[in-house]
Amino acid sequence: MRVVSLVPSLTEAVARSAPVILAGATDWCTHPPDLDVVRVGGTKNPKTDRILSLAPDLVIANEEENRAPDLAALRAAGVEVLVTEIRDVPQAFRELGRVLEACGVASRPRWLDEAEESWAALPEHGTRLTAVVPIWRRPWMVLGRDTFAGDVLARLGVDHVHTTHPDRYPRVPLEELRAAAPDVVVLPDEPYRFTADDGPDAFPGLPCALVSGRHLTWYGPSLAEAPRVLGRALRAARP
């Protein structure tokens, strides 16, 4: 079987579970670090001709990360495309199982068991925090309703203030973000690469947690360590 992945999370999941079947991946597929496959462009602008040249049996994609016209073009060329939808942690586990089954992975990988065990073992959070979660700067964009990352944070005891916003990734003026006066500002390093020198400066007087975007937004093997990694970053922001 030959598989092309257009989603970094799913690339890592397949590479960890059945590396020999992975024929291609996007330029943004950075894990595993030693991944050695044909690169097929970006998640939003894949090179469909290059994908077709690999003669894949299956292309795996995501309804949020990939564009419908690109996936339609692949289907029109006779390629089977599996599209995932992942809005919360339980759905991530279900969809990962579906992807691995479609890829012909015969037995459930240990990393998937470890990931589910990590999330099932989370304690109850008596005191909850409020957060603003920017994902982009210039213009400022934040997590809104119905997002995987928002569910990840909620399970860690952090409720972001735009969870009921009509948009999933709304643009919100910086002044409004500051005025929300959250307990913490969560700044991931992707898709925008917030750093200690680029991000906290916009929120003077507010605790800022610099977190791993991979652990906040990826649904793959990183899920196993995400509660520990993210929890440590959140605690460091509010010692």
PDB file of all heavy atoms in Angstrom, residues 2 27 34 45 68-69 88 93 96 113 115 120 123 135 141 155 160-161 167 176 186-187 198 200:
ATOM      1  N   ARG A   2       0.395   2.294  -0.688  1.00  0.00           N
ATOM      2  CA  ARG A   2       1.122   3.567  -0.745  1.00  0.00           C
ATOM      3  C   ARG A   2       0.177   4.673  -0.284  1.00  0.00           C
ATOM      4  O   ARG A   2      -0.935   4.815  -0.808  1.00  0.00           O
ATOM      5  CB  ARG A   2       1.619   3.847  -2.163  1.00  0.00           C
ATOM      6  CG  ARG A   2       2.694   2.869  -2.623  1.00  0.00           C
ATOM      7  CD  ARG A   2       3.025   3.052  -4.085  1.00  0.00           C
ATOM      8  NE  ARG A   2       3.551   4.366  -4.379  1.00  0.00           N
ATOM      9  CZ  ARG A   2       4.811   4.753  -4.143  1.00  0.00           C
ATOM     10  NH1 ARG A   2       5.658   3.915  -3.567  1.00  0.00           N
ATOM     11  NH2 ARG A   2       5.226   5.963  -4.473  1.00  0.00           N
ATOM     12  N   ASP A  27       5.280  19.686   3.078  1.00  0.00           N
ATOM     13  CA  ASP A  27       6.495  20.354   3.551  1.00  0.00           C
ATOM     14  C   ASP A  27       6.424  20.662   5.040  1.00  0.00           C
ATOM     15  O   ASP A  27       7.451  20.881   5.684  1.00  0.00           O
ATOM     16  CB  ASP A  27       6.695  21.673   2.789  1.00  0.00           C
ATOM     17  CG  ASP A  27       6.846  21.461   1.290  1.00  0.00           C
ATOM     18  OD1 ASP A  27       7.159  20.326   0.876  1.00  0.00           O
ATOM     19  OD2 ASP A  27       6.621  22.417   0.524  1.00  0.00           O
ATOM     20  N   ASP A  34      13.222  12.346  11.388  1.00  0.00           N
ATOM     21  CA  ASP A  34      13.991  11.689  10.327  1.00  0.00           C
ATOM     22  C   ASP A  34      13.108  11.243   9.163  1.00  0.00           C
ATOM     23  O   ASP A  34      13.508  10.398   8.360  1.00  0.00           O
ATOM     24  CB  ASP A  34      14.750  10.491  10.888  1.00  0.00           C
ATOM     25  CG  ASP A  34      13.821   9.444  11.509  1.00  0.00           C
ATOM     26  OD1 ASP A  34      12.612   9.724  11.639  1.00  0.00           O
ATOM     27  OD2 ASP A  34      14.307   8.353  11.864  1.00  0.00           O
ATOM     28  N   ASN A  45      -1.694  24.240  -0.321  1.00  0.00           N
ATOM     29  CA  ASN A  45      -1.363  24.307  -1.750  1.00  0.00           C
ATOM     30  C   ASN A  45      -0.547  23.083  -2.174  1.00  0.00           C
ATOM     31  O   ASN A  45       0.579  23.218  -2.667  1.00  0.00           O
ATOM     32  CB  ASN A  45      -0.599  25.599  -2.061  1.00  0.00           C
ATOM     33  CG  ASN A  45       0.657  25.752  -1.222  1.00  0.00           C
ATOM     34  OD1 ASN A  45       0.847  25.062  -0.212  1.00  0.00           O
ATOM     35  ND2 ASN A  45       1.536  26.648  -1.639  1.00  0.00           N
ATOM     36  N   ALA A  68     -10.990  21.896  -0.068  1.00  0.00           N
ATOM     37  CA  ALA A  68     -11.881  20.988  -0.785  1.00  0.00           C
ATOM     38  C   ALA A  68     -11.561  20.878  -2.280  1.00  0.00           C
ATOM     39  O   ALA A  68     -11.593  19.777  -2.836  1.00  0.00           O
ATOM     40  CB  ALA A  68     -13.338  21.417  -0.582  1.00  0.00           C
ATOM     41  N   PRO A  69     -11.214  21.991  -2.985  1.00  0.00           N
ATOM     42  CA  PRO A  69     -10.911  21.851  -4.416  1.00  0.00           C
ATOM     43  C   PRO A  69      -9.713  20.940  -4.695  1.00  0.00           C
ATOM     44  O   PRO A  69      -9.711  20.210  -5.697  1.00  0.00           O
ATOM     45  CB  PRO A  69     -10.624  23.294  -4.860  1.00  0.00           C
ATOM     46  CG  PRO A  69     -11.378  24.134  -3.883  1.00  0.00           C
ATOM     47  CD  PRO A  69     -11.270  23.415  -2.577  1.00  0.00           C
ATOM     48  N   ASP A  88     -12.467  17.539  18.891  1.00  0.00           N
ATOM     49  CA  ASP A  88     -12.192  17.349  20.312  1.00  0.00           C
ATOM     50  C   ASP A  88     -11.326  16.106  20.498  1.00  0.00           C
ATOM     51  O   ASP A  88     -11.049  15.381  19.529  1.00  0.00           O
ATOM     52  CB  ASP A  88     -13.484  17.268  21.139  1.00  0.00           C
ATOM     53  CG  ASP A  88     -14.418  16.158  20.693  1.00  0.00           C
ATOM     54  OD1 ASP A  88     -13.931  15.086  20.289  1.00  0.00           O
ATOM     55  OD2 ASP A  88     -15.655  16.348  20.768  1.00  0.00           O
ATOM     56  N   PHE A  93      -9.196  10.440  18.805  1.00  0.00           N
ATOM     57  CA  PHE A  93      -8.892   9.019  18.955  1.00  0.00           C
ATOM     58  C   PHE A  93      -9.709   8.173  17.974  1.00  0.00           C
ATOM     59  O   PHE A  93      -9.190   7.225  17.381  1.00  0.00           O
ATOM     60  CB  PHE A  93      -9.137   8.577  20.393  1.00  0.00           C
ATOM     61  CG  PHE A  93      -8.166   9.172  21.377  1.00  0.00           C
ATOM     62  CD1 PHE A  93      -8.612   9.770  22.550  1.00  0.00           C
ATOM     63  CD2 PHE A  93      -6.805   9.158  21.136  1.00  0.00           C
ATOM     64  CE1 PHE A  93      -7.725  10.315  23.464  1.00  0.00           C
ATOM     65  CE2 PHE A  93      -5.907   9.710  22.027  1.00  0.00           C
ATOM     66  CZ  PHE A  93      -6.355  10.291  23.200  1.00  0.00           C
ATOM     67  N   LEU A  96      -8.222   8.769  14.453  1.00  0.00           N
ATOM     68  CA  LEU A  96      -6.922   8.118  14.305  1.00  0.00           C
ATOM     69  C   LEU A  96      -7.100   6.622  14.071  1.00  0.00           C
ATOM     70  O   LEU A  96      -6.421   6.023  13.231  1.00  0.00           O
ATOM     71  CB  LEU A  96      -6.063   8.366  15.544  1.00  0.00           C
ATOM     72  CG  LEU A  96      -5.450   9.759  15.638  1.00  0.00           C
ATOM     73  CD1 LEU A  96      -4.932  10.026  17.052  1.00  0.00           C
ATOM     74  CD2 LEU A  96      -4.315   9.922  14.620  1.00  0.00           C
ATOM     75  N   ASP A 113      -2.658   3.661  22.549  1.00  0.00           N
ATOM     76  CA  ASP A 113      -3.104   3.284  23.895  1.00  0.00           C
ATOM     77  C   ASP A 113      -2.553   4.237  24.945  1.00  0.00           C
ATOM     78  O   ASP A 113      -3.270   4.674  25.856  1.00  0.00           O
ATOM     79  CB  ASP A 113      -2.652   1.861  24.223  1.00  0.00           C
ATOM     80  CG  ASP A 113      -3.441   0.805  23.467  1.00  0.00           C
ATOM     81  OD1 ASP A 113      -4.592   1.083  23.087  1.00  0.00           O
ATOM     82  OD2 ASP A 113      -2.884  -0.285  23.243  1.00  0.00           O
ATOM     83  N   ALA A 115      -1.647   7.324  24.571  1.00  0.00           N
ATOM     84  CA  ALA A 115      -2.292   8.637  24.456  1.00  0.00           C
ATOM     85  C   ALA A 115      -3.651   8.634  25.137  1.00  0.00           C
ATOM     86  O   ALA A 115      -3.981   9.551  25.908  1.00  0.00           O
ATOM     87  CB  ALA A 115      -2.433   9.015  22.982  1.00  0.00           C
ATOM     88  N   ALA A 120      -7.216   9.933  29.851  1.00  0.00           N
ATOM     89  CA  ALA A 120      -8.184   9.357  30.784  1.00  0.00           C
ATOM     90  C   ALA A 120      -7.748   9.552  32.226  1.00  0.00           C
ATOM     91  O   ALA A 120      -8.592   9.564  33.140  1.00  0.00           O
ATOM     92  CB  ALA A 120      -8.360   7.868  30.492  1.00  0.00           C
ATOM     93  N   PRO A 123      -6.705  14.518  36.275  1.00  0.00           N
ATOM     94  CA  PRO A 123      -7.500  14.753  37.488  1.00  0.00           C
ATOM     95  C   PRO A 123      -8.591  15.785  37.244  1.00  0.00           C
ATOM     96  O   PRO A 123      -8.582  16.507  36.245  1.00  0.00           O
ATOM     97  CB  PRO A 123      -6.457  15.298  38.471  1.00  0.00           C
ATOM     98  CG  PRO A 123      -5.461  16.004  37.590  1.00  0.00           C
ATOM     99  CD  PRO A 123      -5.388  15.174  36.328  1.00  0.00           C
ATOM    100  N   ILE A 135      -3.693  32.772  17.867  1.00  0.00           N
ATOM    101  CA  ILE A 135      -3.029  31.855  16.942  1.00  0.00           C
ATOM    102  C   ILE A 135      -2.349  32.614  15.806  1.00  0.00           C
ATOM    103  O   ILE A 135      -1.642  32.011  14.994  1.00  0.00           O
ATOM    104  CB  ILE A 135      -4.015  30.838  16.359  1.00  0.00           C
ATOM    105  CG1 ILE A 135      -5.151  31.567  15.615  1.00  0.00           C
ATOM    106  CG2 ILE A 135      -4.565  29.932  17.452  1.00  0.00           C
ATOM    107  CD1 ILE A 135      -5.984  30.658  14.735  1.00  0.00           C
ATOM    108  N   MET A 141      -5.681  36.938  15.673  1.00  0.00           N
ATOM    109  CA  MET A 141      -6.718  35.915  15.565  1.00  0.00           C
ATOM    110  C   MET A 141      -6.588  34.988  16.762  1.00  0.00           C
ATOM    111  O   MET A 141      -5.480  34.753  17.264  1.00  0.00           O
ATOM    112  CB  MET A 141      -6.583  35.119  14.264  1.00  0.00           C
ATOM    113  CG  MET A 141      -6.738  35.956  13.013  1.00  0.00           C
ATOM    114  SD  MET A 141      -6.405  35.007  11.500  1.00  0.00           S
ATOM    115  CE  MET A 141      -7.785  33.844  11.538  1.00  0.00           C
ATOM    116  N   ARG A 155      -9.842  20.441  28.902  1.00  0.00           N
ATOM    117  CA  ARG A 155      -9.572  19.227  29.666  1.00  0.00           C
ATOM    118  C   ARG A 155      -8.407  19.409  30.635  1.00  0.00           C
ATOM    119  O   ARG A 155      -8.229  18.606  31.554  1.00  0.00           O
ATOM    120  CB  ARG A 155      -9.318  18.059  28.711  1.00  0.00           C
ATOM    121  CG  ARG A 155     -10.572  17.649  27.966  1.00  0.00           C
ATOM    122  CD  ARG A 155     -10.314  16.672  26.828  1.00  0.00           C
ATOM    123  NE  ARG A 155     -11.524  16.495  26.060  1.00  0.00           N
ATOM    124  CZ  ARG A 155     -12.489  15.626  26.349  1.00  0.00           C
ATOM    125  NH1 ARG A 155     -12.345  14.814  27.395  1.00  0.00           N
ATOM    126  NH2 ARG A 155     -13.573  15.539  25.601  1.00  0.00           N
ATOM    127  N   HIS A 160     -11.086  29.046  27.424  1.00  0.00           N
ATOM    128  CA  HIS A 160     -10.751  30.277  26.692  1.00  0.00           C
ATOM    129  C   HIS A 160     -11.988  31.133  26.493  1.00  0.00           C
ATOM    130  O   HIS A 160     -13.108  30.632  26.344  1.00  0.00           O
ATOM    131  CB  HIS A 160     -10.024  29.956  25.378  1.00  0.00           C
ATOM    132  CG  HIS A 160     -10.863  29.325  24.316  1.00  0.00           C
ATOM    133  ND1 HIS A 160     -11.590  30.068  23.417  1.00  0.00           N
ATOM    134  CD2 HIS A 160     -11.063  28.035  23.987  1.00  0.00           C
ATOM    135  CE1 HIS A 160     -12.214  29.254  22.580  1.00  0.00           C
ATOM    136  NE2 HIS A 160     -11.913  28.015  22.900  1.00  0.00           N
ATOM    137  N   VAL A 161     -11.785  32.431  26.505  1.00  0.00           N
ATOM    138  CA  VAL A 161     -12.908  33.365  26.634  1.00  0.00           C
ATOM    139  C   VAL A 161     -13.731  33.512  25.358  1.00  0.00           C
ATOM    140  O   VAL A 161     -14.825  34.067  25.393  1.00  0.00           O
ATOM    141  CB  VAL A 161     -12.422  34.755  27.108  1.00  0.00           C
ATOM    142  CG1 VAL A 161     -11.724  34.654  28.449  1.00  0.00           C
ATOM    143  CG2 VAL A 161     -11.512  35.396  26.070  1.00  0.00           C
ATOM    144  N   ASP A 167     -17.476  32.567  15.266  1.00  0.00           N
ATOM    145  CA  ASP A 167     -16.441  32.073  14.358  1.00  0.00           C
ATOM    146  C   ASP A 167     -15.501  31.119  15.081  1.00  0.00           C
ATOM    147  O   ASP A 167     -15.251  31.251  16.285  1.00  0.00           O
ATOM    148  CB  ASP A 167     -15.631  33.238  13.782  1.00  0.00           C
ATOM    149  CG  ASP A 167     -16.477  34.192  12.970  1.00  0.00           C
ATOM    150  OD1 ASP A 167     -17.458  33.725  12.338  1.00  0.00           O
ATOM    151  OD2 ASP A 167     -16.183  35.398  12.975  1.00  0.00           O
ATOM    152  N   GLU A 176      -9.359  44.588  22.677  1.00  0.00           N
ATOM    153  CA  GLU A 176     -10.418  43.736  23.219  1.00  0.00           C
ATOM    154  C   GLU A 176      -9.839  42.504  23.910  1.00  0.00           C
ATOM    155  O   GLU A 176     -10.354  42.057  24.943  1.00  0.00           O
ATOM    156  CB  GLU A 176     -11.355  43.314  22.084  1.00  0.00           C
ATOM    157  CG  GLU A 176     -12.585  42.557  22.553  1.00  0.00           C
ATOM    158  CD  GLU A 176     -13.538  42.263  21.415  1.00  0.00           C
ATOM    159  OE1 GLU A 176     -13.636  43.104  20.484  1.00  0.00           O
ATOM    160  OE2 GLU A 176     -14.166  41.182  21.440  1.00  0.00           O
ATOM    161  N   VAL A 186      -2.385  32.253  26.378  1.00  0.00           N
ATOM    162  CA  VAL A 186      -1.704  31.059  25.875  1.00  0.00           C
ATOM    163  C   VAL A 186      -1.185  31.354  24.470  1.00  0.00           C
ATOM    164  O   VAL A 186      -1.966  31.657  23.563  1.00  0.00           O
ATOM    165  CB  VAL A 186      -2.652  29.851  25.854  1.00  0.00           C
ATOM    166  CG1 VAL A 186      -1.943  28.628  25.285  1.00  0.00           C
ATOM    167  CG2 VAL A 186      -3.169  29.561  27.262  1.00  0.00           C
ATOM    168  N   LEU A 187       0.131  31.266  24.306  1.00  0.00           N
ATOM    169  CA  LEU A 187       0.782  31.629  23.049  1.00  0.00           C
ATOM    170  C   LEU A 187       1.503  30.418  22.466  1.00  0.00           C
ATOM    171  O   LEU A 187       2.612  30.076  22.888  1.00  0.00           O
ATOM    172  CB  LEU A 187       1.776  32.770  23.284  1.00  0.00           C
ATOM    173  CG  LEU A 187       1.179  34.092  23.795  1.00  0.00           C
ATOM    174  CD1 LEU A 187       2.292  35.035  24.247  1.00  0.00           C
ATOM    175  CD2 LEU A 187       0.334  34.751  22.708  1.00  0.00           C
ATOM    176  N   ASP A 198       8.242  37.882  21.089  1.00  0.00           N
ATOM    177  CA  ASP A 198       7.213  38.217  20.109  1.00  0.00           C
ATOM    178  C   ASP A 198       5.893  37.617  20.569  1.00  0.00           C
ATOM    179  O   ASP A 198       5.587  36.459  20.288  1.00  0.00           O
ATOM    180  CB  ASP A 198       7.602  37.656  18.733  1.00  0.00           C
ATOM    181  CG  ASP A 198       6.625  38.067  17.635  1.00  0.00           C
ATOM    182  OD1 ASP A 198       5.640  38.768  17.932  1.00  0.00           O
ATOM    183  OD2 ASP A 198       6.854  37.680  16.473  1.00  0.00           O
ATOM    184  N   PRO A 200       4.346  38.101  24.212  1.00  0.00           N
ATOM    185  CA  PRO A 200       4.090  38.615  25.558  1.00  0.00           C
ATOM    186  C   PRO A 200       4.129  40.134  25.648  1.00  0.00           C
ATOM    187  O   PRO A 200       3.452  40.732  26.493  1.00  0.00           O
ATOM    188  CB  PRO A 200       5.202  37.972  26.382  1.00  0.00           C
ATOM    189  CG  PRO A 200       5.524  36.708  25.656  1.00  0.00           C
ATOM    190  CD  PRO A 200       5.387  37.062  24.206  1.00  0.00           C
TER     191      PRO A 200
END
